[in-house]
Short mmCIF file of all heavy atoms in Angstrom, two decimals:
data_model
loop_
_atom_site.label_atom_id
_atom_site.label_comp_id
_atom_site.label_asym_id
_atom_site.label_seq_id
_atom_site.Cartn_x
_atom_site.Cartn_y
_atom_site.Cartn_z
N SER A 527 9.21 3.96 -20.08
CA SER A 527 10.47 4.69 -20.17
C SER A 527 10.24 6.21 -20.13
O SER A 527 11.17 6.97 -19.91
CB SER A 527 11.19 4.31 -21.47
OG SER A 527 10.36 4.57 -22.58
N GLY A 581 2.72 4.84 -23.27
CA GLY A 581 3.37 3.83 -24.09
C GLY A 581 2.34 2.81 -24.56
O GLY A 581 1.22 2.73 -24.05
N ASP A 582 2.75 1.99 -25.55
CA ASP A 582 1.82 0.98 -26.08
C ASP A 582 1.46 -0.05 -25.01
O ASP A 582 0.32 -0.53 -24.95
CB ASP A 582 2.38 0.31 -27.33
CG ASP A 582 3.78 -0.28 -27.14
OD1 ASP A 582 4.60 0.36 -26.44
OD2 ASP A 582 4.06 -1.36 -27.69
N GLY A 583 2.40 -0.36 -24.13
CA GLY A 583 2.11 -1.34 -23.07
C GLY A 583 1.05 -0.82 -22.11
O GLY A 583 0.07 -1.50 -21.81
N SER A 584 1.23 0.41 -21.65
CA SER A 584 0.26 1.01 -20.74
C SER A 584 -1.09 1.19 -21.43
O SER A 584 -2.14 0.97 -20.85
CB SER A 584 0.74 2.39 -20.28
OG SER A 584 1.53 2.26 -19.13
N VAL A 607 2.77 6.35 -27.73
CA VAL A 607 4.10 6.05 -28.25
C VAL A 607 4.25 4.55 -28.47
O VAL A 607 4.35 3.76 -27.51
CB VAL A 607 5.19 6.60 -27.30
CG1 VAL A 607 6.57 6.23 -27.81
CG2 VAL A 607 5.07 8.12 -27.20
N GLN A 608 4.23 4.18 -29.73
CA GLN A 608 4.28 2.76 -30.12
C GLN A 608 5.73 2.34 -30.32
O GLN A 608 6.42 2.88 -31.19
CB GLN A 608 3.46 2.60 -31.41
CG GLN A 608 3.57 1.26 -32.09
CD GLN A 608 3.03 0.11 -31.27
OE1 GLN A 608 3.74 -0.47 -30.44
NE2 GLN A 608 1.77 -0.23 -31.47
N ASN A 609 6.18 1.39 -29.51
CA ASN A 609 7.51 0.83 -29.74
C ASN A 609 7.50 -0.69 -29.61
O ASN A 609 8.51 -1.31 -29.36
CB ASN A 609 8.57 1.50 -28.84
CG ASN A 609 8.19 1.40 -27.37
OD1 ASN A 609 7.40 0.53 -26.98
ND2 ASN A 609 8.74 2.27 -26.55
N HIS A 610 6.30 -1.26 -29.73
CA HIS A 610 6.12 -2.72 -29.78
C HIS A 610 6.66 -3.43 -28.54
O HIS A 610 7.37 -4.43 -28.64
CB HIS A 610 6.73 -3.29 -31.07
CG HIS A 610 6.17 -2.63 -32.28
ND1 HIS A 610 4.94 -2.97 -32.81
CD2 HIS A 610 6.62 -1.60 -33.04
CE1 HIS A 610 4.68 -2.20 -33.86
NE2 HIS A 610 5.68 -1.35 -34.02
N GLY A 611 6.34 -2.89 -27.40
CA GLY A 611 6.72 -3.57 -26.16
C GLY A 611 7.25 -2.59 -25.14
O GLY A 611 6.90 -1.42 -25.14
N TYR A 612 8.11 -3.10 -24.29
CA TYR A 612 8.57 -2.34 -23.14
C TYR A 612 9.99 -1.82 -23.36
O TYR A 612 10.96 -2.52 -23.08
CB TYR A 612 8.59 -3.20 -21.88
CG TYR A 612 7.34 -3.98 -21.57
CD1 TYR A 612 7.40 -5.10 -20.74
CD2 TYR A 612 6.09 -3.59 -22.07
CE1 TYR A 612 6.25 -5.81 -20.43
CE2 TYR A 612 4.95 -4.31 -21.77
CZ TYR A 612 5.04 -5.42 -20.95
OH TYR A 612 3.91 -6.13 -20.64
N ALA A 613 10.12 -0.58 -23.82
CA ALA A 613 11.46 0.00 -23.95
C ALA A 613 12.13 0.03 -22.58
O ALA A 613 13.31 -0.25 -22.43
CB ALA A 613 11.37 1.41 -24.52
N SER A 614 11.35 0.37 -21.57
CA SER A 614 11.88 0.53 -20.21
C SER A 614 12.41 -0.78 -19.65
O SER A 614 13.60 -0.91 -19.35
CB SER A 614 10.77 1.04 -19.30
OG SER A 614 9.62 0.21 -19.44
N TYR A 631 6.57 -7.17 -27.92
CA TYR A 631 5.36 -7.84 -28.39
C TYR A 631 5.65 -8.45 -29.77
O TYR A 631 5.71 -7.73 -30.77
CB TYR A 631 4.22 -6.84 -28.50
CG TYR A 631 3.77 -6.23 -27.19
CD1 TYR A 631 3.55 -4.86 -27.08
CD2 TYR A 631 3.54 -7.02 -26.06
CE1 TYR A 631 3.11 -4.29 -25.89
CE2 TYR A 631 3.10 -6.46 -24.87
CZ TYR A 631 2.89 -5.09 -24.80
OH TYR A 631 2.45 -4.52 -23.63
MG1 MG B 1655 6.25 0.51 -25.30
#
Side-chain angles (χ1 to χ4, degrees):
S527 57
D582 54 321
S584 272
V607 177
Q608 170 64 274
N609 56 22
H610 304 280
Y612 309 159
S614 51
Y631 295 135

